[in-house]
Amino acid sequence: MTHPSSVPSPSQPTVGGPGIYLDHAATSPVCREAVDAVLGGMSITGNPSSRHEAGDEAKDALESSRTQMAALLDCAADDVVFTGGGSEADALAVCGTVLAADGHRPVHVITSAIEHSAVLESCAMAHELGAEITILRPDGRGWIDPEDVRRALRPNTVLVSVMHANNETGVIQPISDIAAVVHEAGALLHTDAVQTAGKISLAGLGADLVSVSAHKFYGPKGVGALKVAPGVRLSPLIRGGSQERGLRAGTENVPGVLGMAAAATAALHHLDDPAHQAHRHTVRAHLLKGLEEAGDIAVNGEGAPCLPETLNVSFTGVRGDTLVDVLAVHGICVSAGSACHAGSDEPSHVLTAMGIPAQRARSAVRFSPGRTTTVDAVTTAAARTVDAIGKLRALGPAGAPQPSHA
Amino acid sequence: MPRYSPTVVDHFTNPRNAGELDDPDVRAFIGNPVCGDQIMLTARVTDGTVAEIRFRAHGCAASLATASVVTEAALGATLGEIEAWDDERVEALLGGLAPDQRHVAALGRQVAHRLVTNHREGVDDDAPLICA
């Protein structure tokens, strides 16, 4: 595994020593297998669509990668469409389905309020194209009830899009149950599996359309894939060539696709490793135990099935974006549920959809350890976080909560 | 390019004059209703000069740094000098701000001016600092 370039290296410590990267839900470092595959792909000259030996070499690289991605997506190789990332895969799934629908009557799309902006904005675009959109609310844990999906279905519903796990809370949605409900009504199901691909198995999900993004599972940025099940009708968004079964024009990103496929194969090995699976939960438990020392914290999404790699915590009396900035100075990379841009401070749409008050949503920070994160690293990060929270609370209103050990 | 100037980082990681004076001569409070940043100053003023000053603040990292640099610059300054501060002066005290952070310079200037006005008029801002 390469060391993230943006994290201070152990030889160049910042204020608090070596950097600790706990922002894998934003992006992950590129694994050695993917680096080697990308570098190998850079020396492939041909265009996969060309009818000569150089083209055949590129085509072979693409098709072997497609087979590797099919193993990750639990589908046939022919069902894999390469895209320029997860957001493009989401857009193709949502808008592509609406564009391909029978144009004689308005079509209906169901999604949830906690989706990534790539899905929500694609639904907004689908609305501009004439589709009716229903946005489902999660429960207080950030979980979508399949029965709510059932109640929202209409005779003209063509697509339901519910993410596999949420990017802010890590809450895992009941996709296979939702698939049964959706298919019973004759509609299609799309799931944005960007946060789960490579972390948990995608086998048996039952979704017709599944989006993944390479850089979330230790592959390169700017490349992704969409599983398109047999019989699903999609209209391409990017046109001008017959690549990817006519669903995505443009010469394929051969080095990127090779890197993504290598990362997928490596991730599948880890999925089958019981020691790695146990480590994921151990790391989360130590991280949470350490953060609890801050006192007066709330885990957002608590009580729902959750990815152990994603821990979203609100610290009373502290702004999440401020804590992120202070921790960054100490070489600890995490993300806030909200960001203060240009003087506006909109709390996270995910947390507010869960019914979490704005004040608590603004105090949320997401910690997302990764494959190589050690127990020592999260223990250190938690201790520095508790220290920073104590100092920030001391600056604020008198009587703010103090660390439990203080 | 770093997100914050070295001065801003220094002040939000090592804030000066944090806290609240008991029985201050003047108390000033400013809150930004849009982004929720809040600064409260308490000060003792002797012969028109700030002799002691503390801040409490809740908000983004740049606003915490602003509160800190404002107290540092105000300490020993006359009320007339503080009244002459503008947003650019506060931004200079912070070592510069990115365009999306400039609202904190206005916040710093406003709370400093309010301290002067409140002292002159003999009033206090009693609004408690709350987390927004």
Side-chain angles (χ1 to χ4, degrees), chain A residues 267-313:
Chain A
L268 287 172
H269 287 311
H270 287 283
L271 273 185
D272 292 335
D273 177 3
H276 174 67
Q277 293 307 313
H279 180 71
R280 300 167 68 212
H281 294 276
T282 303
V283 165
R284 180 188 179 90
H286 279 83
L287 178 57
L288 181 55
K289 186 168 174 246
L291 295 176
E292 282 170 345
E293 289 292 310
D296 210 353
I297 73 168
V299 177
N300 299 310
E302 189 162 37
C306 188
L307 289 174
E309 289 87 353
T310 308
L311 181 58
N312 190 303
V313 180

Side-chain angles (χ1 to χ4, degrees), chain A residues 316-319 321-322 325-326 329-330 340-345 358-359 362 391-399, chain B residues 3-4 9 12-13 15 18-20 32 34-37 55-61 64 100 103 129-132:
Chain A
T316 301
V318 171
R319 278 259 297 263
D321 57 333
T322 309
D325 286 343
V326 172
V329 173
H330 293 272
C340 186
H341 293 299
S344 73
D345 180 33
Q359 183 176 320
R362 284 196 184 95
K391 288 176 178 165
L392 288 170
R393 282 176 175 165
L395 295 182
Chain B
R3 180 162 169 70
Y4 297 114
V9 172
F12 76 65
T13 52
E20 187 173 345
N32 180 329
V34 178
C35 73
D37 293 340
F55 80 88
R56 284 194 184 281
H58 180 77
C60 64
L64 302 185
D100 69 342
H103 63 287
L129 190 69
I130 52 159
C131 300

